[in-house]
Amino acid sequence: MSIPDCDVLVVGAGPTGLTLALQLLSRGVRTRIVDQDPGSPKMSRAIGLQPRTLETLDMMGIADRLVEIGHRTLRTSVYVGGRRRLGIDMTAADSAYRFILHLPQNRTEEVLRTRLAELGGEVERGVELVDLVQHGDEVTAALRDVRGHESRTSASYLVGCDGAHSRVRQLLAVPFEGAPYPFEWLLADAELDGVASDDEVHVYWGSAAQPLALIPIDGRLWRVSAPVRADRDGAAPTLEEIQELVDTRGPGGIVVRSPETLTCFRCQIRSTGTYRVDRVLLAGDAAHIHAPTGAQGMNLGINDAANLGWKLADVVTARAPGALLDSYGAERRPAAQQVMAMTDGMVRFILDPSPVRRALRRAIMPALRTPLMQRRLADRMAQLAIAYPDSPLSRPGRVRGVPRPGARMPNIRLHDGRTLHEALRAGLPVLAGPADGLPASVLVRPDGYVAAVGPQAEGLTQQTRSARVGT
Ligand SMILES: Cc1cc2nc3c(=O)[nH]c(=O)nc-3n(C[C@H](O)[C@H](O)[C@H](O)COP(=O)(O)OP(=O)(O)OC[C@H]3O[C@@H](n4cnc5c(N)ncnc54)[C@H](O)[C@@H]3O)c2cc1C
């Protein structure tokens, strides 16, 4: 049996691939990460890190670095006919991070790359995956560098984190089911004069059927986002056009200036039916894409990587059988479907111009303002509501006063003074119990979800001593 060149080849160094490489390297897995992009400056796409993603990054020890340089956004206010009718208040979220952290995606990626370097890793830039073949216990990949030189490399596993147009997905012939939306979005990252507060997202529905969103990026720059009918074929807007949209759809008196980005994009809602074909897996935008409404996509990808990282590490080091990897798709596909349904619902709620839908919108807004609904909305936006109760890894059992198996475990303080997230930075499960102020034992997986509660949790830990979940 030949030894592959590396344990895991990560294709794509966007937020998903970088997070996965960090997860693997921090557990001592021999990892290569390649990206076809030679390092050219990119337009920043995502700007929102949700509370659950910040928790995930805290378990990796890097949330503080991001929070230090990001901009806290506390709520989204929706104005109809000039009056504030609805707010989604992130301060109601059940997390220490009661805000969405706004930071341009390229700066988030910079922080992830810095951590990668600290762990001895590096993105191989200008290296494109052009082919892959699975045989026996390994995957052989054909890579092409910027000079057109092709080489072959082998890995025990390959993960396609290569975005919406994923070559890996195409080579696997995995369908990407879905459709484009009948809208294009115009975006401008620019300075704005005349907006009331920069700690919230402002969404305006004026007399125009289509809304306008003003999203603070960093205290200086704003993202102006406005859907329009899909009839411009991707033509970028001018500053004058953006100003006109802000004048007609906004509250009046707002001046747009010094744009850094003016762009138009068409978005789609698509996903794969599977996340794994033998030794090749898909994560992030390669497996699911949807509208940017609600700032969810990058967050889903980062959390896909956190779910897959510890499982892949256990499998390649032979501490768990390959079947553990099936739980990745079993858990993350429903999570993506849930988020996609939410963003699709938001698109329809916001953009459907029919008079019936508009009347319905007005009718249900008061119900959305109750404290219970506020908390639910915040937790769903924050991706804190994602749970894996039906996962094969969630052991049956329920104990009053502790989260159910499959649920997210809150970041409690442990008896030794560390927080749960700090303890999870070692990359292993944690058994918490009465000494930590809990009414029963709880076995927490390395990604911060509950695996088992009560005697089940203790039994599992004793069985494995080093507490490998899922073996
Ligand atoms: C305008 C806009 C606004 C958005 N706003 C938000 C937001 O606020 N919040 C949010 O969560 N999400 C947002 N998103 C979505 C977010 O940008 C994506 O979900 C996120 O970038 C997905 O990360 P990824 O790592 O999976 O893929 P990508 O970021 O697309 O990275 C894929 C990488 O793979 C590389 N690659 C591709 N093919 C190959 C190959 N054959 N070989 C080697 N490398 C390859 C590419 O060069 C790229 O670097 C927005 C998207 C858009 C378009």
Side-chain angles (χ1 to χ4, degrees):
M1 202 175 74
S2 64
I3 298 176
D5 299 334
C6 66
D7 294 326
V8 181
L9 175 62
V10 179
V11 180
T16 307
L18 287 167
T19 306
L20 182 63
L22 286 179
Q23 290 273 335
L24 295 168
L25 279 175
S26 66
R27 293 179 168 89
V29 174
R30 294 184 307 136
T31 307
R32 269 184 87 176
I33 175 166
V34 299
D35 198 295
Q36 66 183 13
D37 190 277
S40 45
K42 285 189 223 163
M43 173 212 161
S44 183
R45 295 182 287 157
I47 48 174
L49 284 163
Q50 298 288 349
R52 181 57 184 164
T53 312
L54 290 169
E55 291 186 349
T56 296
L57 295 163
D58 191 33
M59 293 173 223
M60 297 164 63
I62 48 176
D64 288 353
R65 304 182 193 189
L66 291 153
V67 171
E68 202 176 308
I69 56 173
H71 181 84
R72 295 174 192 215
T73 305
L74 305 181
R75 62 188 67 81
T76 297
S77 291
V78 180
Y79 302 85
V80 182
R83 285 185 55 201
R84 186 177 187 273
R85 297 278 183 179
L86 177 66
I88 301 177
D89 190 355
M90 297 311 287
T91 64
D94 176 23
S95 170
Y97 302 104
R98 293 192 189 87
F99 50 85
I100 302 180
L101 190 74
H102 281 186
L103 186 67
Q105 182 169 330
N106 46 11
R107 296 198 63 201
T108 298
E109 290 176 8
E110 231 170 78
V111 171
L112 296 171
R113 278 197 302 273
T114 301
R115 181 67 188 138
L116 192 74
E118 289 165 8
L119 293 173
E122 194 189 350
V123 176
E124 297 173 45
R125 291 189 168 282
V127 177
E128 179 189 5
L129 174 103
V130 288
D131 200 6
L132 67 87
V133 181
Q134 302 201 54
H135 45 87
D137 289 343
E138 52 182 62
V139 186
T140 299
L143 303 175
R144 186 188 294 143
D145 70 18
V146 276
R147 293 184 305 277
H149 176 255
E150 274 196 25
S151 61
R152 280 179 195 278
T153 189
S154 60
S156 299
Y157 288 90
L158 183 149
V159 188
C161 305
D162 48 347
H165 303 287
S166 172
R167 175 72 62 83
V168 174
R169 189 185 64 232
Q170 289 160 18
L171 290 167
L172 295 174
V174 169
F176 206 30
E177 309 277 4
Y181 281 106
F183 306 101
E184 284 172 308
W185 260 262
L186 301 187
L187 289 190
D189 288 352
E191 294 179 23
L192 296 185
D193 292 332
V195 192
S197 53
D198 72 358
D199 61 357
E200 56 187 300
V201 173
H202 305 266
V203 179
Y204 299 97
W205 272 315
S207 47
Q210 306 279 29
L212 168 83
L214 304 180
I215 307 162
I217 299 180
D218 60 9
R220 179 182 70 88
L221 276 184
W222 290 77
R223 173 162 293 176
V224 180
S225 168
V228 292
R229 272 216 330 269
D231 57 4
R232 51 187 299 133
D233 210 15
T238 60
L239 173 60
E240 292 67 35
E241 202 176 347
I242 293 289
Q243 181 66 61
E244 197 186 323
L245 279 168
V246 169
D247 290 342
T248 51
R249 297 187 186 181
I254 293 176
V255 177
V256 188
R257 55 187 173 79
S258 315
E260 294 193 357
T261 307
L262 290 165
T263 187
C264 168
F265 71 98
R266 179 116 189 242
C267 68
Q268 319 210 3
I269 177 160
R270 291 184 185 276
S271 61
T272 60
T274 183
Y275 282 23
R276 177 185 180 197
V277 178
D278 300 329
R279 289 178 170 268
V280 181
L281 298 108
L282 297 168
D285 274 19
H288 41 70
I289 53 168
H290 51 80
T293 343
Q296 301 288 317
M298 175 176 70
N299 294 273
L300 263 183
I302 289 175
N303 288 311
D304 281 352
N307 183 292
L308 180 58
W310 65 273
K311 295 174 181 175
L312 256 181
D314 271 8
V315 170
V316 297
T317 51
R319 287 185 292 227
L324 176 60
L325 297 177
D326 288 332
S327 69
Y328 161 62
E331 293 178 345
R332 292 305 295 172
R333 193 167 175 278
Q337 297 295 322
Q338 199 180 311
V339 168
M340 288 166 73
M342 178 179 76
T343 59
D344 191 49
M346 285 164 102
V347 169
R348 287 173 201 286
F349 185 76
I350 297 169
L351 297 182
D352 192 325
S354 76
V356 175
R357 182 76 72 159
R358 297 182 82 186
L360 191 68
R361 267 187 329 229
R362 284 173 198 268
I364 67 169
M365 276 194 193
L368 297 176
R369 287 199 288 261
T370 63
L372 179 68
M373 280 309 290
Q374 281 289 301
R375 171 90 179 251
R376 285 205 179 144
L377 281 172
D379 284 353
R380 285 197 72 188
M381 285 273 288
Q383 299 197 1
L384 292 164
I386 287 174
Y388 314 126
D390 302 324
S391 164
L393 301 189
S394 301
R395 303 290 163 123
R398 179 107 209 248
V399 177
R400 248 179 115 82
V402 294
R404 287 168 180 230
R408 152 192 168 268
M409 184 67 191
N411 187 22
I412 58 169
R413 174 116 3 227
L414 302 174
H415 67 280
D416 61 6
R418 292 177 302 168
T419 64
L420 173 68
H421 290 175
E422 285 165 355
L424 287 168
R425 287 177 199 162
L428 296 171
V430 168
L431 182 69
D436 309 298
L438 297 172
S441 297
V442 179
L443 184 62
V444 185
R445 305 169 8 163
D447 55 2
Y449 287 85
V450 175
V453 296
Q456 278 270 19
E458 285 156 24
L460 267 181
T461 322
Q462 273 159 14
Q463 262 172 40
T464 56
R465 223 56 209 124
S466 63
R468 301 276 154 203
V469 181
T471 52

